Amino acid sequence: MMFGKILIANRGEVALRVMRAARELGVKTVAVYSTEDADTYPVRYADEAVCIGPAPANKSYLVMANIIEAAKQTGAEAIHPGYGFLAENADFARACAEEGIVFIGPSPECIESMGDKSSARETMKSCGVPTVPGSDGCLDTVEEAREFAERVGYPVLIKATAGGGGKGMREVHDPADLEAQYKAARTEAGAAFGNDGVYLEKLVLRPRHVEVQILADDFGNNVALCERDCSIQRRHQKLVEEAPSPALTEEVRRAMGVAAVKAVRATGYRNAGTIEFLLDERGHFYFMEMNTRVQVEHPVTEQITGTDIIKEQLRIAAGEPMSCAGRAPFVPSGHAIEMRINAEDPAHGFRPCPGTVTAFEPPAGPGVRVESYVRAGTRISPYYDSLVAKVIVSGQDRAEAVARARRALDEFVVEGIATTIPFHKRVLENEVFLAGEATTDFIETQMGDVL
Ligand code: MV4
């Protein structure tokens, strides 16, 4: 049943991560690469590699026809999209199916319905997953916006239905600003997404971002693999993620897991995905968005659940049952923290610093996992994201994970480029972080001097 050969429609650390999983399952791998990435480690690691175009992503990693052609040429039976690029593109999933290639992910219909944030919210509401009080679907008029805002109470947040990841959001604290913000949100959404639909929610103050990893197969197994806390973000870019969330009681963890499984059942979802929740200061949680892909931070979940999420994705896509269906639900084992090491200068507003890595000595030892495609001599390209490495530490409890994180970052040598390692060292000394109390305003309120 398992595939003989798959193609990985991505680059960098995630391409390598997927190929490692494939190799363990005895599956041959095909890398695709832009001319810019020709000399990178994942291209060498693959059993075969096909060049799909020049450096700009819209000429290579985003060109569906070239990727599908590469799969047909090499006889790859399935395509893993990784994250970013075409991972949540329903047209790509459809194009694969039309060519008889398995898309390693959910159905195009699921990708599409969760991509529309307002309809995703309505779907969740109707199946009993808690949502933030707000409008029923998209808003047609400013009068309608005003009615809902008054019903739920100010402050409110106007969100683009085609948005997600924070794009096209406007806060309204004063009723006098509602009309202007409503119009601005619509205009901004129309320009950014070609879809000016907006909806409205009550603004949750000082929330935490807590998300549940789910897996679903063709055999009726729907599991929630505990949660991740991703509250430490800057401009909607996550910097630190951990599992389990230090903010959840066992009772809330169970309730969140049950809600996530309900959401999976209601949508007929298959493969790996994430249900994102906002957690408020009282410990109430609300559906925010569903991600229909594997995420950058999936390793922290793997560390505390003893699973291999990428291998499960391959099994599920190949029509096999997942291998982790029998594990105890909602019970984390130990604690894991991921720090994203980016080629950015935190001392100068996290500005990207592409360039050649001259020395690269990653940390190792007990409880340390490094996910990276970088080797000494690797050029971090200005064309793609600036992720250099993910350092994932795990321990029996949060204190041990924190101690390992400090030790790992002290060992880590990266020369030739500026990185976010110094920023992470500071987070690991911050008392709000150490108390497990970081909310989504952590960077602004606690790390203000690095901004
Ligand atoms: C919210 C919110 C407060 N209240 N919705 C940000 C990205 C997109 N997924 C939705 N987001 C938010 N939605 C309500 N009703 C606050 C945010 C938000 C946020 C959420 C998670 C992590 C970081 C964030 C940073 C700013 C705003």
Side-chain angles (χ1 to χ4, degrees):
M1 284 263 247
M2 183 46 69
F3 306 118
K5 190 191 280 189
I6 66 168
L7 180 145
I8 298 89
N10 216 300
R11 64 176 301 283
E13 71 89 18
V14 71
L16 184 57
R17 170 73 189 89
V18 173
M19 290 193 273
R20 283 175 165 153
R23 191 157 290 177
E24 288 179 28
L25 291 172
V27 177
K28 296 281 185 218
T29 56
V30 180
V32 292
Y33 63 96
S34 69
T35 52
E36 181 83 353
D37 282 332
D39 296 328
T40 61
Y41 183 64
V43 175
R44 290 201 296 282
Y45 188 97
D47 294 301
E48 292 170 75
V50 181
C51 184
I52 50 165
N58 62 4
K59 298 265 191 305
S60 49
Y61 297 106
L62 290 171
V63 183
M64 302 186 209
N66 294 4
I67 293 167
I68 287 172
E69 183 54 33
K72 286 164 72 175
Q73 248 175 45
T74 54
E77 299 133 73
I79 297 182
H80 194 301
Y83 51 71
F85 298 128
L86 297 170
E88 291 177 282
N89 187 314
D91 292 335
F92 182 61
R94 220 168 263 131
C96 289
E98 277 162 16
E99 298 292 341
I101 299 164
V102 175
F103 176 79
I104 302 172
S107 67
E109 293 74 27
C110 264
I111 297 174
E112 224 149 48
S113 73
M114 291 299 121
D116 185 282
K117 306 303 167 187
S118 174
S119 82
R121 177 181 137 84
E122 295 306 310
T123 302
M124 296 302 161
K125 224 196 291 189
S126 65
C127 74
V129 176
T131 54
V132 186
S135 58
D136 299 317
C138 281
L139 299 163
D140 291 318
T141 62
V142 66
E143 288 75 28
E144 203 188 340
R146 196 170 294 287
E147 250 169 63
F148 281 115
E150 262 148 40
R151 195 180 303 168
V152 302
Y154 289 87
V156 297
L157 188 60
I158 300 172
K159 296 182 170 181
T161 191
K167 274 175 278 171
M169 295 196 317
R170 294 285 181 133
E171 289 185 11
V172 188
H173 293 263
D174 182 338
D177 300 332
L178 183 78
E179 180 160 7
Q181 295 293 53
Y182 168 80
K183 286 181 176 161
R186 274 207 104 96
T187 306
E188 201 175 297
F193 312 114
N195 172 353
D196 70 353
V198 297
Y199 61 107
L200 175 152
E201 287 180 352
K202 188 168 177 68
L203 180 70
V204 178
L205 299 169
R206 289 172 46 81
R208 301 173 67 123
H209 174 136
V210 181
E211 57 185 32
V212 177
Q213 175 71 53
I214 60 91
L215 287 173
D217 66 18
D218 282 342
F219 300 83
N221 301 305
N222 302 294
V223 304
L225 295 176
C226 297
E227 80 288 352
R228 299 184 282 259
D229 195 313
C230 310
S231 297
I232 300 186
Q233 311 194 356
R234 179 182 174 273
R235 299 195 185 158
H236 305 291
Q237 284 287 108
K238 294 170 185 169
L239 297 168
V240 179
E241 304 98 344
E242 63 181 298
S245 168
L248 295 197
T249 60
E250 252 176 70
E251 190 189 349
V252 176
R253 170 167 304 112
R254 184 164 294 274
M256 200 180 265
V258 168
V261 170
K262 225 190 251 181
V264 170
R265 288 226 171 85
T267 51
Y269 196 82
R270 201 186 81 147
N271 215 282
T274 303
I275 317 278
E276 296 184 342
F277 294 99
L278 288 167
L279 181 73
D280 72 13
E281 291 178 307
R282 298 177 304 166
H284 294 193
F285 61 86
Y286 310 93
F287 171 78
M288 183 161 56
E289 288 176 16
M290 178 168 191
N291 298 320
T292 57
R293 61 170 192 280
V294 70
Q295 290 186 251
V296 177
E297 60 273 26
H298 77 276
V300 292
T301 300
E302 295 183 323
Q303 295 305 123
I304 63 149
T305 58
T307 55
D308 184 322
I309 292 168
I310 309 292
K311 287 204 294 205
E312 297 295 7
Q313 285 194 291
L314 298 188
R315 290 189 185 103
I316 292 166
E320 292 180 6
M322 66 177 78
S323 73
C324 64
R327 69 176 297 284
F330 323 133
V331 183
S333 166
H335 202 96
I337 303 172
E338 172 176 282
M339 290 149 289
R340 297 193 193 186
I341 311 303
N342 293 326
E344 292 170 5
D345 186 357
H348 291 96
F350 288 81
R351 91 175 154 215
C353 298
T356 299
V357 176
T358 52
F360 190 78
E361 294 167 22
V368 177
R369 167 176 173 186
V370 177
E371 294 286 342
S372 179
Y373 72 106
V374 172
R375 300 290 178 267
T378 300
R379 213 170 70 83
I380 307 296
S381 168
Y383 285 96
Y384 314 113
D385 72 53
S386 60
L387 189 64
V388 174
K390 305 187 300 200
V391 177
I392 304 106
V393 293
S394 39
Q396 283 186 292
D397 54 26
R398 192 166 187 266
E400 188 175 45
V402 167
R404 283 188 165 145
R406 290 186 183 134
R407 190 263 294 167
L409 294 188
D410 282 340
E411 289 179 13
F412 205 169
V413 176
V414 183
E415 281 168 18
I417 54 164
T419 74
T420 51
I421 291 173
F423 163 83
H424 287 289
K425 287 181 176 171
R426 289 197 38 207
V427 171
L428 292 168
E429 301 300 333
N430 177 277
E431 74 271 15
V432 172
F433 171 76
L434 292 175
E437 284 169 0
T439 51
T440 51
D441 62 1
F442 177 82
I443 306 284
E444 289 106 298
T445 59
Q446 297 294 314
M447 299 277 133
D449 50 316
V450 302
L451 299 178

